[in-house]
Amino acid sequence: MVHVGTMKSATTYLQELAQLNATRLAAQGVLWPPADLPFLALAELLGRDTDRPGHAGSWSQLVESFQRHGGTAVLSNELLAPVGRRTIATITQALAPAEIKVVITARDLGRVIPSHWQTTLKNGATTSWAAFAQAVCADPATRANVARSRDTGSWFWRRHDVARIVERWSRRVPVRHITVVTVPPPGADARLVGERFATALGVCTTGFAEPSHDNSSVGAYSAELLRRLNATHPGFERHHFRWGVKEALVRAGLAEWAAREPGFGLSEQQHAWVRRRADRMIAELQAMGVSVVGDLDDLRPGDVPAPRAVDPESAIDADLVLAALHGIGGLAEVIADLQVERERTLTGDDTSRGR
């Protein structure tokens, strides 16, 4: 089974849920590969992160583990959403003669767009929220050549137009073997998306442990702080963003401050455009006859934009300094805790805290 997790559709949560309960899945005949293997394997296949340890040979290792397994095996990765026909052909040929089923998870586009912009900031982007939203809330400039287009809108919609994703995979996998799993709307039980995903996999989640990880969000001013940080430090590399920005600065510092900052979101005009865009996508999925776990209406944004929205670029120096102080505080805690852990490892002394 191939899980095409569109970005910001609870993909990280689902992967951590499955990884945490890999033994319980195995008892139901489902192989969920070890944590990093699917990411290393697909990175090798796509020619990305070639200097990452464990990269070489990981695709062959993953395929061989699937072939040895007698039941359902799952390949889950966000990078599968934008891949084109050649990569899809390579994947399906490598997994043959197994029967391939595709599960695509997707979320309300009104929530996806601002969330996705945040993710780009955590990976080094410097595009402002206003420029990103303006580019995304418009049809791709070159629909026929969207795979090669470098404009932000085309880049975004290739990853989030679920109908087009189904269309690309259906050239190699029959539509009857493709399922769309929708993320429930705000206010729903947080475990519901996991139960929906399990239904698509054909497993029962009774007794499953819940992951503690959360994909941290930030407020408008902290987001602008990250954007300016990226512009100031263009030399940051992948590991700087993964560990320094995402894990330390955002999760340990800025995320806790988010509730006290204003949010940001689409304008009324942009929100209305996205609703029309979602309506069109839903109609196309219905016409394809693709199976759905959940409700396609979950992909339609609410009637009105999110409240308390400001333009992150409107942040004044005082707003940015306050956000930075919370970020620095989080970084200080992370650095201190790591140093204490290092001393304990080197000395075997559990009393080293605070020296």
Side-chain angles (χ1 to χ4, degrees):
M1 179 173 289
V2 177
H3 171 216
V4 180
T6 59
M7 293 183 70
K8 317 316 300 178
S9 65
T11 307
T12 301
Y13 165 77
L14 294 173
Q15 290 165 345
E16 294 195 351
L17 176 68
Q19 189 62 51
L20 183 62
N21 296 281
T23 301
R24 294 178 178 88
L25 287 172
Q28 299 183 57
V30 176
L31 169 65
W32 193 275
D36 285 342
L37 183 56
F39 300 94
L40 291 169
L42 196 60
E44 181 187 29
L45 184 67
L46 298 176
R48 297 169 51 124
D49 299 332
T50 54
D51 59 345
R52 187 174 177 182
H55 183 280
S58 54
W59 174 250
S60 296
Q61 182 183 346
L62 180 71
V63 172
E64 288 169 5
S65 70
F66 282 12
Q67 292 172 339
R68 289 194 303 268
H69 182 66
T72 300
V74 184
L75 168 60
S76 173
N77 201 304
E78 290 182 341
L79 295 178
L80 290 165
V83 297
R85 288 177 290 177
R86 291 184 181 179
T87 302
I88 291 172
T90 299
I91 292 171
T92 54
Q93 289 167 5
L95 299 178
E99 180 181 74
I100 299 174
K101 295 185 178 180
V102 175
V103 175
I104 303 168
T105 47
R107 183 185 180 197
D108 154 21
L109 290 167
R111 290 188 290 161
V112 163
I113 295 172
S115 184
H116 196 146
W117 178 66
Q118 277 198 44
T119 296
T120 68
L121 298 180
K122 295 174 188 177
N123 288 283
T126 58
T127 303
S128 70
W129 164 243
F132 183 86
Q134 182 180 14
V136 166
C137 296
D139 285 316
T142 52
R143 175 176 293 275
N145 196 30
V146 66
R148 298 180 183 178
S149 175
R150 298 193 178 193
D151 72 276
T152 299
S154 296
W155 179 90
F156 177 89
W157 288 109
R158 185 165 181 82
R159 287 156 176 77
H160 291 287
D161 188 334
V162 182
R164 299 289 74 76
I165 295 172
V166 170
E167 184 179 71
R168 291 197 295 271
W169 280 91
S170 67
R171 292 168 180 163
R172 289 283 176 171
V173 179
V175 171
R176 67 179 183 278
H177 288 167
I178 300 177
T179 301
V180 172
V181 174
T182 63
V183 177
D189 188 328
R191 296 169 296 182
L192 182 54
V193 66
E195 294 171 2
R196 289 180 176 182
F197 186 64
T199 297
L201 262 60
V203 299
C204 175
T205 59
T206 300
F208 273 30
E210 280 289 312
S212 57
H213 173 85
D214 65 329
N215 212 344
S216 305
S217 297
V218 299
Y221 302 148
S222 292
E224 179 63 12
L225 179 72
L226 289 176
R227 190 183 73 83
R228 297 194 191 185
L229 175 69
N230 294 338
T232 307
H233 294 276
F236 273 3
E237 298 180 14
R238 180 183 174 279
H239 63 285
H240 295 135
F241 289 110
R242 182 181 182 186
W243 301 113
V245 175
K246 296 179 188 177
E247 294 296 326
L249 178 59
V250 172
R251 184 163 295 153
L254 299 179
E256 293 186 4
W257 182 243
R260 285 170 282 183
E261 285 188 351
F264 59 93
L266 301 173
S267 67
E268 290 186 10
Q269 182 179 3
Q270 290 168 341
H271 185 83
W273 185 92
V274 173
R275 277 182 59 87
R276 294 192 297 272
R277 185 68 170 76
D279 287 341
R280 189 172 81 201
M281 185 176 74
I282 291 169
E284 290 173 341
L285 290 169
Q286 290 171 333
M288 291 175 176
V290 66
S291 299
V292 178
V293 179
D295 193 326
L296 288 179
D297 281 342
D298 293 339
L299 305 182
R300 184 178 290 109
D303 293 335
V304 295
R308 297 183 66 234
V310 302
D311 183 347
E313 279 192 290
S314 69
I316 61 176
D317 288 348
D319 299 323
L320 297 175
V321 168
L322 194 54
L325 288 173
H326 284 273
I328 292 169
L331 285 173
E333 290 184 4
V334 169
I335 292 169
D337 289 344
L338 287 173
Q339 180 62 24
V340 168
E341 204 57 43
R342 178 176 178 273
E343 291 179 2
R344 286 175 175 171
T345 301
L346 292 174
T347 66
D349 182 4
D350 285 342
T351 65
S352 60
R353 181 180 290 275
R355 286 184 184 176

